[in-house]
Amino acid sequence: MKRMAALKLLAFPLLLLIASLLLFCSPSLLGDWDDAGSWKAPFRPVDLLPLLPHRAAWPVLRSLRSAVDLLPTFVGAASSAEDDLEWKGACFYKTTAWMEFHNKSQSQFGGGTLHIKTNNAHSWTCMDLYVFATPYRVTWDYYLLSREHTLDFHEWEGEAEYEYVKHNGVSIFLMESGMIGTLRAMWDVFPLFTNTGWGESSNLAFLKKHMGATFEERPQPWISSINTDDIHSGDFLAISKIRGRWGGFETLEKWVTGAYAGHTAVCLRDSEGKLWVGESGNENDKGEDVIAILPWEEWWEFELTKDDSNPHISLLPLHPDVRAKFNNTAAWEYGKSMLDKPYGYHNMIFSWIDTISDNYPPPLDSHVVASVMTMWNKIQPAYAANMWNEALNKRLGTQGLDLPEIIVEAEKNGTSFDNLLTIPEQDDWVYTDGKSTSCVAFILEMYKAAGLFGSNASSIQVTEFTIKDAYTLNFFESNSSRLPKWCNKDDNVKLPYCQIKGRYRMELPGYNTMQPYPHMNENCASLPPYYSRTKDC
């Protein structure tokens, strides 16, 4: 331990010595003057921070970087030698790229070389990290020196990739934080998914920073003494998980959609008055996420004793006038027709993406989404087919195309990939494993069947709704005096709904404010931190 401590103490003076030797012995390695004639420092303190002792470096690094820094930024696409693509990198302030086609492989369609020229580094110790993608491949490289670099594509994967690159180019993504910053950001993402106190605090910190959530602590007890006689068919359960695998997933879902809950369920009473909970995303004995209808006691016991994601749960009672319209028989018929069907992975992302540019928190954009899809298509083709390929085929009117074929077919039809993503999901689409409903779409389809959308039912696609879109519907109780007596009984802040579990007070901005209208939520923006939407979108 003493030896390690001594090494850490020596690290910074040693780095200074190395930097000084570079400065005085070999200043020509990276150049010491920029194009404007200004002298460049041999290094920036921030470049060396990760190499300092943990206690000294970590607080500064945490203030400079976050999990969002893991996302790449699309800088452009290089398609020919005639058109130079130029941008400012994170390290090299002048970077250009162009594409050269060749046939070194002596194949039918040949290959190509991407040229990247880097200039004007802001320091001697920085680097730029890039991801390069076509619909058929994803690769990466990093650059330390000011010079021309090349990335070789020995052979195109057939005519389709050749034609695509010729017309659309190789997409280039910059990791804004460089190698160290990206690794640091990955270190920030990792705890979001850990089932620990560290993971929980990381999720809370992320949502506070990027959404403005407050997470005010409630007075104890943090679990309500519920009288289930006060719970009725159609009452909505908003759930927020803040640790573990689902906690991390929900944190990212909340960030991109603006929802302050990440999961939902619905209450139902049968003909004998027994209380049940319907849920899309309930894990069965095989570990599969399916649609289930469980007795209240079983569902509630699981949330109290077995759900290790620390779920915060609020009950949103239907307004008495809305409850009077609720067709319980039709709701049960719909629920039973969906039993044991898979969770709605097919259309999950399409409820979020409504516009070409106004649903992607920076630096996320449609190019990044396409790149991630391409990567997953290569790594786990079955996963990709389940998550988006089948849904994209439906939008094109095709069947069985994989992701590269989908992108090429869309281009042939004059539809860009970012436009393809915005085409509204249709509630009556049937996938290979049946109708596909996420947790909230399952509830809203039930509401549809039960008559709550009235004359608008045929013109509303509820698979386009996010969780936020659901709890902003004006279906719920608006008069706190009509809430059950046990509702928020021990809390000095009287919420308009009943929080029944959780240490932190659940916020639901916009709760119960939106009157249903035709084609609602088909073209809505959702950019943090305000998530403002245009009227009648």
Side-chain angles (χ1 to χ4, degrees):
M1 294 297 291
K2 290 182 178 179
R3 182 178 298 178
M4 288 299 296
L7 286 172
K8 287 183 178 180
L9 288 173
L10 287 171
F12 188 57
L14 183 60
L15 287 167
L16 285 177
L17 175 62
I18 293 169
S20 299
L21 288 171
L22 284 171
L23 175 62
F24 292 109
C25 299
S26 304
S28 61
L29 284 176
L30 293 176
D32 53 343
W33 298 87
D34 62 21
D35 287 353
S38 300
W39 181 75
K40 289 184 295 188
F43 63 87
R44 296 186 311 167
V46 70
D47 295 327
L48 301 180
L49 273 173
L51 304 176
L52 295 180
H54 182 278
R55 289 185 179 180
W58 209 246
V60 181
L61 278 169
R62 287 190 69 86
S63 68
L64 295 175
R65 302 296 182 196
S66 74
V68 177
D69 294 323
L70 186 60
L71 295 171
T73 299
F74 177 71
V75 296
S79 58
S80 73
E82 288 74 32
D83 299 319
D84 277 3
L85 178 66
E86 185 173 332
W87 69 92
K88 179 180 177 181
C91 171
F92 296 96
Y93 284 173
K94 184 178 180 182
T95 307
T96 55
W98 64 95
M99 191 73 205
E100 173 196 359
F101 290 87
H102 58 66
N103 198 358
K104 297 176 184 178
S105 63
Q106 298 299 306
S107 58
Q108 184 177 0
F109 300 102
T113 299
L114 180 64
H115 297 261
I116 305 280
K117 189 173 183 179
T118 53
N119 286 294
N120 294 8
H122 64 63
S123 80
W124 287 11
T125 53
C126 67
M127 70 172 67
D128 273 343
L129 177 64
Y130 288 95
V131 175
F132 306 95
T134 77
Y136 298 81
R137 70 182 83 202
V138 176
T139 188
W140 66 280
D141 206 350
Y142 63 92
Y143 307 121
L144 289 160
L145 302 176
S146 293
R147 65 176 178 85
E148 185 178 318
H149 310 266
T150 59
L151 181 69
D152 195 53
F153 298 86
H154 180 68
E155 184 178 347
W156 303 120
E157 293 189 14
E159 182 180 7
E161 185 177 26
Y162 167 68
E163 291 292 339
Y164 182 89
V165 174
K166 189 168 67 173
H167 292 99
N168 300 286
V170 173
S171 295
I172 303 172
F173 301 88
L174 170 67
M175 305 302 292
E176 293 275 11
S177 298
M179 185 74 77
I180 295 298
T182 300
L183 292 173
R184 166 68 185 85
M186 290 177 69
W187 186 251
D188 258 5
V189 168
F190 171 73
L192 297 181
F193 295 87
T194 60
N195 195 1
T196 62
W198 176 37
E200 181 171 312
S201 62
S202 297
N203 278 292
L204 299 187
F206 185 99
L207 295 171
K208 286 178 181 179
K209 179 176 181 179
H210 296 290
M211 293 184 69
T214 59
F215 292 102
E216 297 173 349
E217 189 167 316
R218 303 165 67 217
Q220 294 199 51
W222 296 329
I223 299 171
S224 296
S225 298
I226 302 170
N227 182 350
T228 57
D229 292 342
D230 296 317
I231 301 177
H232 305 277
S233 276
D235 288 352
F236 190 99
L237 291 159
I239 305 161
S240 178
K241 304 185 179 191
I242 58 175
R243 66 191 297 173
R245 173 172 60 107
W246 282 111
F249 175 82
E250 285 190 13
T251 288
L252 299 178
E253 177 193 3
K254 292 167 188 171
W255 173 54
V256 298
T257 65
Y260 277 61
H263 186 52
T264 58
V266 65
C267 300
L268 287 169
R269 286 197 180 273
D270 62 21
S271 58
E272 297 178 357
K274 182 177 174 62
L275 183 61
W276 300 74
V277 175
E279 181 179 39
S280 178
N282 187 274
E283 189 173 304
N284 64 14
D285 294 337
K286 299 177 182 177
E288 301 165 333
D289 296 313
V290 299
I291 296 172
I293 300 179
L294 307 171
W296 167 270
E297 295 79 12
E298 180 182 336
W299 183 85
W300 185 233
E301 177 67 18
F302 176 86
E303 297 302 333
L304 292 180
T305 63
K306 297 179 183 177
D307 191 338
D308 55 10
S309 66
N310 193 5
H312 286 49
I313 305 173
S314 285
L315 176 74
L316 283 49
L318 290 180
H319 188 279
D321 294 343
V322 175
R323 184 177 300 126
K325 300 176 186 176
F326 190 85
N327 186 328
N328 198 49
T329 302
W332 269 102
E333 286 177 0
Y334 170 76
K336 288 177 179 177
S337 74
M338 297 295 288
L339 279 178
D340 297 322
K341 283 185 167 45
Y343 175 83
Y345 288 109
H346 291 296
N347 50 31
M348 183 175 63
I349 69 168
F350 297 102
S351 64
W352 153 50
I353 301 174
D354 288 347
T355 67
I356 291 176
S357 60
D358 293 336
N359 296 114
Y360 303 103
L364 199 63
D365 63 13
S366 60
H367 297 92
V368 176
V369 171
S371 181
V372 171
M373 286 180 172
T374 299
M375 179 183 69
W376 278 111
N377 197 61
K378 289 293 183 184
I379 298 171
Q380 288 188 310
Y383 174 92
N386 190 38
M387 283 291 287
W388 46 70
N389 284 4
E390 197 171 347
L392 291 171
N393 269 282
K394 287 189 175 297
R395 284 159 172 77
L396 275 176
T398 55
Q399 288 185 339
L401 300 185
D402 65 10
L403 184 63
E405 293 169 332
I406 288 168
I407 295 175
V408 170
E409 184 67 22
E411 294 284 346
K412 286 181 181 177
N413 293 347
T415 302
S416 62
F417 186 72
D418 49 7
N419 265 311
L420 187 65
L421 292 172
T422 67
I423 295 174
E425 182 79 8
Q426 301 298 303
D427 292 350
D428 59 0
W429 280 348
V430 179
Y431 291 84
T432 51
D433 52 7
K435 284 195 172 183
S436 187
T437 57
S438 64
C439 62
V440 71
F442 170 68
I443 297 170
L444 296 181
E445 284 275 27
M446 183 178 289
Y447 282 2
K448 231 185 185 184
L452 298 195
F453 285 96
S455 60
N456 289 315
S458 61
S459 61
I460 289 178
Q461 308 299 328
V462 298
T463 40
E464 280 289 301
F465 282 50
T466 65
I467 291 174
K468 178 186 178 182
D469 297 330
Y471 66 64
T472 56
L473 285 168
N474 66 344
F475 286 174
F476 307 106
E477 181 57 81
S478 54
N479 186 344
S480 58
S481 67
R482 285 200 294 258
L483 294 173
K485 292 181 180 179
W486 49 263
C487 178
N488 308 318
K489 180 171 68 71
D490 300 300
D491 197 344
N492 55 348
V493 175
K494 299 305 177 186
L495 298 172
Y497 39 84
C498 305
Q499 183 163 346
I500 57 178
K501 186 180 185 298
R503 174 178 180 175
Y504 304 102
R505 194 170 291 115
M506 288 183 69
E507 306 168 76
L508 300 177
Y511 170 72
N512 202 39
T513 57
M514 194 72 62
Q515 178 75 22
Y517 58 86
H519 304 289
M520 70 184 302
N521 299 318
E522 292 184 5
N523 190 36
C524 292
S526 60
L527 290 177
Y530 305 113
Y531 302 96
S532 302
R533 53 181 280 155
T534 55
K535 185 179 180 182
D536 297 335
C537 62

